[in-house]
Amino acid sequence: MGIYLDNNATTRVDPAVVAEMMPFFTEHFGNPSSMHGYGAAVGGKIEWARGEVQKLIGAAFDTEIVFTSGGTESDSTAILSALKAYPKRREIVTSVVEHPAILSLCDFLESKEGYRIHRIPVDGKGNLDLERYEAALSENVAVVSIMWANNETGTIFPIELLAGMAKKVGALFHTDAVQAVGKLPMDLANSAIDMLSLSGHKLHAPKGIGALYVKRGVRFRPMLRGGHQERGRRAGTENAPAIVGLGKACELARESLPIERTQVAALRDRLETALVEAIPNCFVTGNPANRLPNTANIAFEFIEGEAILLLLNEEGIAASSGSACTSGSLEPSHVMRAMGVPYTAAHGATRFSLSRDTTAEEVDTVIRVMPGIIERLRKLSPYWTGQGAAAGFQPVYS
Amino acid sequence: MWNYSDKLKEHFFNPKNAGVLEEANAVGEVGSISCGDALRLMLQVEPETQVIQDARFQTFGCGSAIASSSALTEMIIGKTVEEALQVTNKDIADYLEGLPPEKMHCSVMGAEALRAAIANYRGEEWVDDHEEGELICKCFGVDAAMIERAVEVNALTSLEQVTNYTKAGASCKTCHEKIEDLLESLLAKQGKVPEPVAAKAPAAPALVGLGDIAPLAAPEAAKPATPAKKLSNVQRMQIVIAALEEMRPYLKQDGGDVELVDIDGKNIYVRLSGACSGCQMASVTIEGIQTKLVEKLGELVRVIPHTMMAAE
């Protein structure tokens, strides 16, 4: 077995989740909309799952949970619903470090639909510029969409504060909480948050299932119209096994929340401290004082992320890079650039994201092999002298 | 994980000829830290025979970039300078038993470094054609300026033609939408619309040497491009002010107004006032002003409300 430290990308489906799902493929296979016993059994379990999602995020009512195909669908539904519900408001507020599920949609709405998008910048640690945020809010804003925690650095935004500010101008507040759900305690019943997106595969449920929380009383316009499923808010036959899996995953996540904040955070800190001590010219990105307990994003200067990942993979270690070449794009991560991380380091930013399954032995293995990998690649780099940046290397189109 | 060939992986995990060549008499340095790829190629050329005796490299980049550099050195050691110049980026990709389409630029970088090094050996100044501007086609390193030039010089009107003339979009096709958007905006300036996709699109050219990628060769029948006259900052500002003055009467009719606040490169900051300030259609007004200024200046600029200016 390898060492899997890419849990912000996706998590291993918990065996208990799989066990809960299995009967809903072969035994309880009815359509929950059907008026016979086959359907009723499935329908009842879906409502159980809805209750589990409700409990994990602290929603007041289970009817506030709409099952979707995942985070991207939840995000799109939330924003498009708000725009349709408030057609006279033609502005959207978001941040520069959002997931592409938000950024790409906003780009489209701006260029093709004529909406005005306020993209709020962040500082060097990934904290939102609150003054710019406040300045962007007006009665022209239909919806604010700010992520709860950043997927690359783990930096947490002051989401309650942001939601409260949005409410003052009558804008709907949506948060993409895909990375935060299951890692941070939540109490939506007592918050100003109107909508929240979550994704199953980030918390040990399968891919292709997620949910959108819509606070009772919030105007809602469905993205998918058709049948009456999900109380008419998301048409389409329910993905029953996955919904059941998400329900079980939420139950397990609620039980393991304390582990995230103690055990997982301690292992993350151990990994991070050891790497930064052992390897010159590297630094932790994001806000170390306020971030997800499982995420360590370290920028290694003068080398490129994909090369790091390939060598880590040879050691049986899976991590992630915001760089570039991993995604087929030449640009380094938009999050690193937004934080002002210089190109020399942004390309070498490497993310280790742990889970409740991560062990101390696994972390120690990474601590052992990483210095050699970085040294090996730096020996190949024209920007590296042995102590730091090489002077005089100025390629033609730099 | 990319689907890399075994040969490529071998050259990445065990690169050949990596490091500094102290005896080098030819050095080519290409790439960009911002793009994530940079390469220093060092050659030792025997002056009498013109044979490349040794070659080494240092590469900042991904697995394909390191492997392409390693492969390149293996391919050219023992060749004369003239023979080495025949090595194309396709040869490098073939040597590695293929590169993913998105990684073809790594082989292009190798071919460029080789030409830069040989130019350095010969005492020539090597000028690359990598221009400023948004990189549109990452596979072949084609930016917006190159496409714009090709469209203007050759009166191109379709995506297929752009691909045939620049290679942009000939590989992974993920940039097709961007090319189409760019083409649409370029043609709009001429009052034209893009042509629909032809029933039988001409085949994209095969991947060939760097020479085909670099300078855009205009067909014989086409007139050479008239270089756009570069405006001074004062001229640009005057044009912007005049254009805004032209628009103000229309805004005033609706009880609003606009004034120029600042020009920072491509960003033009304006202040909407009166009925325009806080109007729900403000973004449409801003867009209209932008269209007007793009038309007047003949360059792409961005009009931004002054409230979005960076704090001092």
Side-chain angles (χ1 to χ4, degrees):
Chain A
M1 283 290 285
I3 297 171
Y4 185 78
L5 296 181
D6 197 14
N7 287 282
N8 284 12
T10 196
T11 52
R12 180 182 77 129
V13 180
D14 195 296
V17 169
V18 177
E20 198 79 26
M21 292 170 65
M22 288 308 285
F24 290 86
F25 288 106
T26 53
E27 193 179 341
H28 307 306
F29 58 86
N31 186 327
S33 298
S34 299
M35 296 303 293
H36 45 59
Y38 288 95
V42 180
K45 192 70 176 179
I46 286 176
E47 293 317 308
W48 165 83
R50 201 183 305 279
E52 290 303 322
V53 178
Q54 176 204 351
K55 280 186 253 180
L56 180 62
I57 62 175
F61 307 98
D62 62 356
T63 49
E64 294 174 325
I65 310 301
V66 181
F67 289 115
T68 67
S69 65
T72 298
E73 186 191 319
S74 297
D75 289 341
S76 289
T77 303
I79 289 177
L80 296 175
S81 167
L83 298 180
K84 283 177 187 155
Y86 295 94
K88 291 184 179 173
R89 292 179 172 231
R90 302 282 297 173
E91 297 183 14
I92 300 168
V93 176
T94 188
S95 82
V96 292
V97 294
E98 296 296 310
H99 188 273
I102 298 290
L103 291 179
S104 294
L105 177 63
C106 286
D107 288 348
F108 172 80
L109 290 168
E110 181 178 51
S111 64
K112 305 291 185 189
E113 306 285 331
Y115 285 92
R116 183 172 171 199
I117 313 293
H118 301 270
R119 298 174 181 84
I120 310 302
V122 296
D123 67 13
K125 291 186 173 177
N127 300 309
L128 202 70
D129 183 333
L130 290 177
E131 285 183 14
R132 296 281 286 274
Y133 176 71
E134 186 174 29
L137 293 173
S138 75
E139 291 183 355
N140 299 324
V141 176
V143 61
V144 174
S145 183
I146 305 279
M147 62 195 343
W148 195 308
N150 185 263
N151 50 315
E152 290 189 27
T153 61
T155 295
I156 296 169
F157 286 139
I159 217 71
E160 292 295 347
L161 172 70
L162 301 175
M165 290 166 75
K167 302 315 291 176
K168 284 184 185 166
V169 296
L172 290 181
F173 188 87
H174 165 255
T175 181
D176 176 353
V178 160
Q179 293 297 342
V181 171
K183 294 173 193 148
L184 303 175
M186 293 180 180
D187 179 21
L188 293 191
N190 296 302
S191 85
I193 296 168
D194 294 305
M195 293 181 281
L196 173 146
S197 298
L198 65 91
S199 176
H201 75 104
K202 309 289 189 186
L203 60 150
H204 303 278
K207 296 161 188 66
I209 184 66
L212 175 65
Y213 160 83
V214 185
K215 191 182 275 296
R216 180 178 281 186
V218 166
R219 277 197 211 176
F220 186 81
R221 302 289 181 270
M223 189 167 77
L224 297 183
R225 293 175 187 269
H228 60 270
Q229 294 90 350
E230 297 296 298
R231 295 171 178 78
R233 292 182 295 179
R234 201 271 191 182
T237 302
E238 296 89 340
N239 183 359
I243 289 172
V244 171
L246 176 61
K248 184 65 182 175
C250 287
E251 181 187 285
L252 297 173
R254 195 154 44 89
E255 290 167 3
S256 65
L257 260 178
I259 293 174
E260 291 282 341
R261 312 204 74 179
T262 53
Q263 192 175 303
V264 176
L267 282 178
R268 187 273 312 271
D269 292 346
R270 174 171 167 171
L271 171 70
E272 199 171 79
T273 306
L275 291 184
V276 172
E277 269 181 21
I279 300 170
N281 290 84
C282 71
F283 56 90
V284 174
T285 70
N287 183 354
N290 187 26
R291 61 189 164 136
L292 295 174
N294 78 319
T295 308
N297 190 312
I298 304 175
F300 300 97
E301 289 191 285
F302 312 117
I303 50 178
E304 200 272 343
E306 190 216 63
I308 299 173
L309 296 189
L310 288 171
L311 292 177
L312 276 172
N313 189 59
E314 279 297 287
E315 301 284 348
I317 299 165
S320 175
S321 166
S323 122
C325 270
T326 32
S327 61
S329 153
L330 287 172
E331 282 293 310
S333 144
H334 70 286
V335 178
M336 294 299 127
R337 295 303 302 141
M339 294 194 302
V341 175
Y343 280 114
T344 45
H347 284 290
T350 305
R351 181 186 69 191
F352 302 94
S353 45
L354 287 60
S355 82
R356 59 183 186 239
D357 294 335
T358 305
T359 66
E361 292 71 30
E362 290 176 332
V363 164
D364 288 344
T365 302
V366 179
I367 292 170
R368 184 168 47 77
V369 303
M370 198 65 185
I373 286 174
I374 301 302
E375 189 182 355
R376 181 170 163 181
L377 289 173
R378 281 182 177 162
K379 277 185 180 167
L380 290 175
S381 170
Y383 291 107
W384 180 250
T385 61
Q387 282 82 38
F393 177 62
Q394 292 181 326
V396 174
Y397 49 86
S398 62
Chain B
M1 187 66 70
W2 298 100
N3 188 18
Y4 287 142
S5 71
D6 289 341
K7 187 85 174 279
L8 188 149
K9 283 191 269 191
E10 168 60 21
H11 275 272
F12 169 68
F13 288 117
N14 300 297
K16 312 290 188 291
N17 310 307
V20 176
L21 181 59
E22 300 291 353
E23 304 79 20
N25 56 0
V27 178
E29 295 178 346
V30 296
S32 159
I33 190 85
S34 60
C35 281
D37 280 329
L39 167 59
R40 174 193 280 145
L41 179 69
M42 293 150 277
L43 309 178
Q44 186 192 353
V45 182
E46 164 60 47
E48 287 188 7
T49 60
Q50 297 287 295
V51 170
I52 298 170
Q53 304 279 359
D54 202 355
R56 292 205 194 150
F57 75 92
Q58 289 177 297
T59 296
F60 166 85
C62 62
S64 299
I66 290 169
S68 292
S69 308
S70 168
L72 172 66
T73 57
E74 288 285 271
M75 291 168 75
I76 60 175
I77 290 173
K79 281 190 164 68
T80 65
V81 166
E82 278 306 319
E83 287 167 346
L85 276 173
Q86 304 307 309
V87 173
T88 67
N89 75 294
K90 184 177 183 296
D91 294 331
I92 297 171
D94 289 346
Y95 185 90
L96 291 169
E97 295 171 357
L99 280 168
E102 296 85 350
K103 298 286 189 176
M104 285 301 290
H105 61 268
C106 296
S107 62
V108 172
M109 183 171 71
E112 285 179 328
L114 175 62
R115 277 148 187 78
I118 291 174
N120 172 256
Y121 171 72
R122 289 173 169 172
E124 299 164 358
E125 188 183 356
W126 189 74
V127 182
D128 100 292
D129 69 321
H130 199 280
E131 298 188 38
E132 296 283 321
E134 186 189 5
L135 193 59
I136 302 286
C137 172
K138 287 159 184 164
C139 301
F140 293 105
V142 181
D143 55 34
M146 188 171 180
I147 292 176
E148 187 168 350
R149 191 176 54 187
V151 168
E152 285 178 5
V153 172
N154 303 293
L156 308 183
T157 55
S158 69
L159 169 67
E160 288 72 23
Q161 289 172 333
V162 171
T163 299
N164 288 342
Y165 277 77
T166 67
K167 286 192 170 182
S171 184
C172 73
K173 299 182 172 55
T174 53
C175 60
H176 278 195
E177 191 175 343
K178 273 188 177 178
I179 297 172
E180 285 167 348
D181 285 349
L182 179 60
L183 185 62
E184 196 175 310
S185 68
L186 293 172
L187 293 178
K189 284 190 213 169
Q190 306 166 22
K192 297 180 190 168
V193 292
E195 282 182 10
V197 175
K200 281 188 179 179
L207 306 183
V208 286
L210 184 70
D212 286 345
I213 297 172
L216 182 71
E220 282 181 21
K223 288 182 182 175
T226 308
K229 192 181 169 190
K230 186 169 169 56
L231 298 170
S232 70
N233 285 337
V234 173
Q235 287 172 321
R236 285 178 87 228
M237 190 170 71
Q238 285 170 339
I239 290 171
V240 171
I241 291 171
L244 291 179
E245 283 302 319
E246 264 183 53
M247 297 190 77
R248 288 181 67 201
Y250 300 99
L251 298 176
K252 283 183 171 176
Q253 278 175 12
D254 293 326
D257 205 350
V258 62
E259 65 175 305
L260 177 66
V261 176
D262 196 9
I263 300 177
D264 180 10
K266 297 280 184 192
N267 293 339
I268 297 175
Y269 295 93
V270 299
R271 178 185 287 113
L272 293 180
S273 55
C276 291
S277 173
C279 168
Q280 289 180 354
M281 298 297 282
S283 62
V284 178
T285 307
I286 291 281
E287 199 173 299
I289 295 170
Q290 179 167 297
T291 306
K292 185 84 172 174
L293 294 184
V294 167
E295 185 185 306
K296 293 283 185 185
L297 289 168
E299 60 175 301
L300 289 176
V301 293
R302 191 166 170 231
V303 174
I304 304 169
H306 75 291
T307 51
M308 302 288 283
M309 285 175 74
E312 289 298 323

